[in-house]
């Protein structure tokens, strides 16, 4: 049995020690992700922030599952992900990351794409429901994504090269096409598409529409499944309903099925979430799920 990490001492209950909501965004954000290094618009800082973000702020869409709704306005996202120490999905995570990067001085903008992960090659087009961040450094484009669940790229990816880009987990590559870019991950011996990105910056209204679809449409899997993910230097952790998977950087995989009480425990201990009483009905449904793949 593999060891799962406990929550750090600065857990979600530490309201008295959390930075004030009135403090500047950058101050609160850096404290939230535990980042104490230099802050400047460089590739080294971008990579360090991306790694710290995905280790500290989990991927989750529980508010879509419970019907609470997801507000991607700047104040709502900052209050949720920073001050209340929750997680979020791409529109929240990458929207926040974009604002932080701009506050530091990075040249950055939002892109939207169509998710292709776990779909057959001949599957029909999906909606534009994944937001990422395009960062330009010394004229070179880089993809920064902190909101793609258990397959999130753990470091910035060069968008002007189709060569494989090794990371501490999988290798990735970004291929240019008539539609824009296709981002792929190497799973075993195969390259699997994650998403296809548009070739133009996404205006905020397009993100609002994508978020509305993803958080409310009956075809969105976030409306039906309990999903959480977190990536550290040592491992990727993924929860899909009652199935918990840990993929270690050394290649080992541990998978097990959980009871409702165990789901609550791992949401706290592994995904660092302040579990709410109102989640219990959704957690109990997730505990009875049958997952075939």
């Amino acid at each position: 049995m593999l060891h799962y990490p406990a929550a750090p001492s600065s857990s979600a209950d530490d309201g008295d020690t959390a930075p004030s909501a009135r403090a500047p965004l950058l101050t609160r954000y850096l404290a939230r992700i535990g980042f104490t290094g230099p802050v400047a618009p460089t590739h080294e800082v971008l990579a360090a922030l991306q790694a710290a973000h995905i280790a500290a702020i989990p991927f989750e869409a529980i508010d879509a599952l419970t019907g609470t709704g997801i507000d991607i306005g700047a104040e709502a996202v900052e209050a949720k992900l920073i001050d209340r120490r929750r997680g979020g999905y791409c529109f929240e995570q990458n929207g926040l990351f974009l604002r932080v990067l701009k506050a530091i001085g990075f040249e950055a903008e939002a892109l939207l794409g169509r998710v292709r992960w776990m779909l057959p090659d001949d599957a029909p087009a999906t909606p534009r429901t994944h937001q990422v961040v395009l960062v330009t450094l010394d004229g070179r484009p880089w993809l920064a994504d902190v909101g793609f669940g258990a397959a999130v790229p753990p470091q910035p990816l060069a968008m002007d090269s189709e060569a494989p880009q090794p990371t501490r987990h999988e290798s990735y590559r970004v291929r240019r096409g008539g539609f824009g870019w296709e981002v792929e991950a190497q799973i075993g011996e195969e390259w699997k598409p994650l998403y296809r990105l548009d070739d133009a910056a996404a205006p905020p209204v397009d993100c609002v529409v994508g978020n509305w679809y993803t958080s409310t449409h009956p075809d969105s899997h976030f409306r039906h499944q309990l999903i959480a993910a977190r990536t550290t230097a040592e491992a990727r952790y993924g929860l899909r309903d009652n199935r918990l998977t840990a993929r270690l950087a050394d290649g080992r995989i541990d998978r097990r099925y959980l009871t409702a009480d165990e789901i609550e425990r791992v949401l706290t201990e592994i995904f660092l979430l302040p579990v709410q009483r109102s989640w219990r009905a959704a957690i109990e449904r997730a505990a009875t799920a049958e997952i075939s793949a």
Side-chain angles (χ1 to χ4, degrees), residues 64-89:
L65 179 64
T66 62
T68 303
I70 294 178
D71 183 348
I72 61 170
E75 290 186 5
V77 170
E78 291 162 23
K80 178 180 175 182
L81 273 64
I82 298 177
D83 304 322
R84 300 204 306 274
R85 305 184 71 85
R86 284 282 305 277
Y89 68 1

Side-chain angles (χ1 to χ4, degrees), residues 3-4 26 28 41 49 84 90 105 131 156 166 225 227 241-242 250:
H3 171 70
Y4 295 113
L26 196 53
R28 291 153 54 213
L49 289 173
R84 300 204 306 274
C90 71
Q131 179 182 349
Q225 291 184 319
I227 296 172
D241 280 331
N242 59 358
D250 64 10

Side-chain angles (χ1 to χ4, degrees), residues 22-57:
R22 292 184 296 274
L25 165 62
L26 196 53
T27 300
R28 291 153 54 213
Y29 174 80
L30 295 176
R32 172 70 172 95
I33 67 172
F35 186 81
T36 58
V39 177
T42 66
H43 182 272
E44 292 75 18
V45 170
L46 176 63
L49 289 173
Q50 183 168 335
H53 183 119
I54 62 177
I57 305 181

Side-chain angles (χ1 to χ4, degrees), residues 211-279:
N211 174 67
W212 174 83
Y213 178 93
T214 306
S215 63
T216 66
H217 197 280
D219 288 346
S220 171
H221 66 285
F222 295 118
R223 297 286 290 126
H224 307 285
Q225 291 184 319
L226 175 61
I227 296 172
R230 179 171 164 244
T231 296
T232 70
E234 296 76 27
R236 292 189 184 274
Y237 302 97
L239 179 68
R240 181 180 172 194
D241 280 331
N242 59 358
R243 186 177 71 189
L244 175 68
T245 303
R247 300 179 183 273
L248 273 69
D250 64 10
R252 289 179 293 160
I253 299 176
D254 180 35
R255 182 173 290 122
R256 56 193 174 106
Y257 290 84
L258 309 176
T259 65
D261 288 344
E262 290 171 330
I263 291 173
E264 282 200 3
R265 181 171 62 82
V266 301
L267 286 174
T268 299
E269 295 181 356
I270 296 177
F271 300 103
L272 315 182
L273 288 169
V275 174
Q276 300 174 17
R277 203 169 294 150
S278 59
W279 298 357

Side-chain angles (χ1 to χ4, degrees), residues 114-123 148 151 171-175 179 181-187 190-197:
R114 305 177 189 275
V115 175
R116 305 301 297 172
W117 180 240
M118 306 299 288
L119 294 178
D121 293 340
D122 59 353
F148 199 68
S171 290
Y172 290 78
R173 68 183 181 189
V174 183
R175 297 199 298 163
F179 47 80
W181 294 276
E182 182 164 84
V183 181
E184 300 174 328
Q186 188 174 24
I187 308 299
E190 295 186 76
W191 287 98
K192 300 289 189 180
L194 301 184
Y195 42 79
R196 291 176 177 170
L197 295 171

